């Protein structure tokens, strides 16, 4: 499963994207737990930690909004982490 980070999530993660080798049927919640378990450098000053950002983020699964964090994912799914954006 590929996780792509955007905006503040990218800054906090320290990478644009990362691959997680989890089994078919893994939930979004479990994928996010795996992503948060990765050792990361301290984010830039003024950037919240990734766990704080993920807690407030929206997610896309293969470019479609996903709200059910218990839904099973496919091994080839792409998950986008979209933190709240300012403006409207």
């Amino acid at each position: 499963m590929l996780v792509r980070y955007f905006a503040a999530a990218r800054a906090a993660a320290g990478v644009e994207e990362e691959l997680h080798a989890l089994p078919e049927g893994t939930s979004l919640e479990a994928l996010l737990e795996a992503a948060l378990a990765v050792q990361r450098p301290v984010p830039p000053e003024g950037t919240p930690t990734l766990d704080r950002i993920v807690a407030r983020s929206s997610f896309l699964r293969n470019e479609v909004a996903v709200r059910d964090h218990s839904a099973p994912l496919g091994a080839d799914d792409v998950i986008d982490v979209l933190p709240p954006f300012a403006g409207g």
Side-chain angles (χ1 to χ4, degrees):
M1 294 165 197
L2 181 66
V3 178
R4 301 188 305 187
Y5 299 101
F6 293 86
R10 179 181 292 167
V15 295
E16 291 183 19
E17 60 185 37
E18 60 193 8
L19 194 59
H20 291 271
L22 298 172
E24 182 99 15
T26 296
S27 67
L28 175 60
E29 182 177 10
L31 173 60
L32 295 173
E33 288 174 6
L36 292 174
V38 172
Q39 280 286 82
R40 301 187 186 280
V42 175
E45 187 173 334
T47 301
T49 57
L50 186 58
D51 62 328
R52 288 187 59 207
I53 292 170
V54 164
R56 298 175 44 217
S57 292
S58 299
F59 306 95
L60 300 181
R61 174 187 181 188
N62 304 325
E63 301 183 5
V64 176
V66 59
R67 290 175 177 71
D68 181 359
H69 292 199
S70 66
L73 302 176
D76 295 326
D77 281 348
V78 175
I79 301 299
D80 295 332
V81 179
L82 306 172
F85 295 93

